[in-house]
Amino acid sequence: VPEQQTRLLNKAAKDKGVGIIGPATVGGIKPGCFRIGNTGGMLDNIVMSRLYRPGSVAYVSKSGGMSNELNNLIARNSDGVYEGVAIGGDRYPGSRFIDHLLRYNDNPNVKILVLLGEVGGADEYEVASAIKAGRITKPLVAWCIGTCASIFPFEVQFGHAGALANANAETAAAKNAALKEAGAHVPDSFFSFGDKIKEIYDGLVSSGSLVPAPEPETPKVPMDYTWAKRLGLVRKPAAFISSISDDRGEELKYSGMPISEVFAKEIGVGGVLSLLWFRKRLPSYATTFVEMILMISADHGPAVSGAHNTIVATRAGKDLVSSLTSGLLTIGPRFGGALDEAALMFTEASDCGHEPEQFVKDMRKQNKLIMGIGHRIKSLSNPDKRVEIVKEFALKHFSDNTVLNFALAVEGITTRKKANLILNVDGCIAVCFVDMLRSCGAFTKDEVNELIESGCLNGLFVLGRSIGFIGHHIDQKRLKQGLYRHPWDDISYLSEDM
């Protein structure tokens, strides 16, 4: 705090009868009650210095760092600290040595006073005068640090703003001598400061003037997490776990494969997807098939619900992410979301050894739709080219097409009833994807089932169709299309008058 502001603060505090510690201070502590600032340090140091319960010694210091040393010295050489304050080393502290020492002297719980002064200023002389005048009657152990300043041939400015002797009387040696003459207990050096505290303490105990309180049980303090983590004693529990990518090293890795290797081996989008979705590197024909699915499912014109929603949102002025989300939210059992269910339905029937005709009858009895069967436009006489492409690729490259063959057998039965009850593109992709996973050699049968149940097939549709939705958004922006309003003549209005 700037000195001018400090002086204004001190005046305001004095007018209001408020005491200030500092402002340049580490704080103060009253063991067993509270601490202000960071006095005492970490919890383990507080326990070691027995600052969890009051002792009989009260101290005042300018230095915050040395106040922590006093906590340690007093704990080792007496029954501990009753109260301690570091007033700070600025030239205009909010409180002075004498303010705190008089408080301590008047407190019946305090038996020994400790003062740690320093070179510079004259506050210690005020303390010496109080001793001579009988205002301070309790034993005071005092020392002014900075006695080494006399060995320098020039004036030395120590760390604090006020730690500079502007006259001989402000040197540490002169103030130590004055305090000793007044009756304070001043050791020969700081090295014996703790011994002097112990000497006074033992004398008071021997005379019966000080009766140490029974030592309470030492509290169990949890280990400081930051400190323990730095030493490798503990580890932070993970907020979540990821097994598919790692960006901590020199380069990004996908399931252990460095990004440079991804490009060097030209594994393509299908290879990256297999690493991130399946944590496996699939054969090239399998990654090609994945890319085929994305290309086939990328778009199906502007009339389908997802594209329609995307276009309407775009024309309403929404951004790309909002428009894309509007389209994606239409994906479900009736639009694009049937792949997982078709895969599960056909796979389960095939694995159970059901005959295709019996499977169709059972589904009819249960009044259930066969997911992946049926198309509004395409039929036996007007086949879906996308289905033909997927089917031909699977029959050519996959070593096992069990589920596909079962689905084609079901199609042969359903189309007898109606020509458009064909294996549609969703169903064809679903069954071929199961055959691909099972026959590529990278997964067990249980792993394939788990992948299908996790929703990866619908994920492929979402990923692929996002390409088209984004395309429609960009297309509408490019065409500068305005707000869409559905034509009223395309709506059947039902009114009570009818």
Side-chain angles (χ1 to χ4, degrees), residues 96 110 129 142 360 374 385 436:
R96 299 174 300 151
V110 176
S129 297
V360 173
K385 190 62 178 177
M436 183 270 288

Side-chain angles (χ1 to χ4, degrees), residues 299-311:
D299 195 50
H300 200 205
V304 296
S305 60
H308 179 85
N309 266 27
T310 301
I311 291 170

Side-chain angles (χ1 to χ4, degrees), residues 29 40 51 102-103 176 185 209 286 339 412 424 456 464 488 491:
I29 190 166
L51 297 174
L102 291 179
R103 286 193 306 106
N176 282 332
H185 300 274
S209 300
L339 281 85
N424 58 38
C456 67
W488 63 266
I491 301 172

Side-chain angles (χ1 to χ4, degrees), residues 172-496:
K175 290 193 284 187
N176 282 332
L179 287 165
K180 189 171 186 178
E181 181 189 359
H185 300 274
V186 180
D188 295 332
S189 68
F190 183 75
F191 183 76
S192 56
F193 194 61
D195 296 334
K196 183 61 71 173
I197 295 172
K198 180 174 176 55
E199 177 187 325
I200 303 302
Y201 175 77
D202 289 344
L204 292 176
V205 172
S206 298
S207 67
S209 300
L210 192 160
V211 179
E215 186 67 34
E217 182 181 355
T218 302
K220 294 180 180 180
V221 179
M223 188 181 298
D224 183 81
Y225 174 75
T226 303
W227 174 79
K229 186 171 184 285
R230 188 181 302 121
L231 294 180
L233 300 176
V234 297
R235 67 177 180 85
K236 181 180 181 294
F240 57 84
I241 301 172
S242 176
S243 63
I244 62 172
S245 63
D246 191 342
D247 62 338
R248 296 171 299 173
E250 293 183 1
E251 60 177 311
L252 175 66
K253 292 182 179 180
Y254 293 156
S255 293
M257 177 179 282
I259 192 67
S260 58
E261 190 176 337
V262 168
F263 287 95
K265 294 189 175 180
E266 299 181 345
I267 66 173
V269 172
V272 170
L273 186 145
S274 69
L275 292 174
L276 293 177
W277 286 24
F278 312 132
R279 296 193 304 155
K280 306 272 189 179
R281 187 178 175 191
L282 301 183
S284 58
Y285 71 83
T287 59
T288 299
F289 182 66
V290 169
E291 293 175 2
M292 271 181 59
I293 295 174
L294 297 179
M295 288 187 281
I296 286 173
S297 60
D299 195 50
H300 200 205
V304 296
S305 60
H308 179 85
N309 266 27
T310 301
I311 291 170
V312 171
T314 301
R315 292 179 60 169
K318 303 299 286 186
D319 61 275
L320 187 146
V321 174
S322 300
S323 301
L324 172 62
T325 303
S326 176
L328 290 176
L329 288 174
T330 65
I331 295 175
R334 297 182 180 182
F335 171 62
L339 281 85
D340 287 332
E341 198 169 347
L344 291 171
M345 187 176 288
F346 280 117
T347 301
E348 182 180 356
S350 175
D351 289 347
C352 290
H354 292 317
E355 290 295 325
E357 189 166 356
Q358 187 60 46
F359 169 71
V360 173
K361 290 180 180 179
D362 291 343
M363 296 301 290
R364 186 183 300 120
K365 286 180 182 179
Q366 297 173 34
N367 198 28
K368 286 184 178 180
L369 294 174
I370 301 176
M371 305 306 293
I373 291 291
H375 199 284
R376 293 186 63 184
I377 301 172
K378 300 298 180 180
S379 63
L380 285 176
S381 59
N382 180 28
D384 190 335
K385 190 62 178 177
R386 297 173 300 171
V387 173
E388 299 300 313
I389 292 172
V390 172
K391 184 168 56 176
E392 289 173 9
F393 184 92
L395 292 172
K396 180 179 179 181
H397 293 92
F398 302 166
S399 59
D400 186 356
N401 291 284
T402 301
V403 183
L404 171 60
N405 289 332
F406 179 83
L408 291 174
V410 170
E411 178 191 49
I413 297 167
T414 56
T415 50
R416 293 178 198 164
K417 180 180 179 181
K418 206 170 184 181
N420 69 336
L421 294 179
I422 59 172
L423 181 65
N424 58 38
V425 67
D426 289 351
C428 187
I429 289 175
V431 296
C432 290
F433 192 75
V434 173
D435 284 335
M436 183 270 288
L437 292 179
R438 286 186 170 185
S439 63
C440 71
F443 308 96
T444 65
K445 193 172 183 179
D446 289 339
E447 287 174 334
V448 172
N449 293 339
E450 184 178 343
L451 285 172
I452 300 303
E453 290 171 1
S454 69
C456 67
L457 265 167
N458 280 349
L460 284 172
F461 181 83
V462 169
L463 180 59
R465 192 52 59 95
S466 293
I467 299 171
F469 291 168
I470 293 172
H472 285 295
H473 173 81
I474 294 172
D475 185 49
Q476 295 300 305
K477 291 291 186 182
R478 181 173 49 245
L479 296 172
K480 295 179 173 55
Q481 294 294 288
L483 178 67
Y484 175 81
R485 179 182 175 85
H486 200 74
W488 63 266
D489 58 354
D490 192 37
I491 301 172
S492 293
Y493 291 92
L494 301 179
S495 64
E496 295 180 358

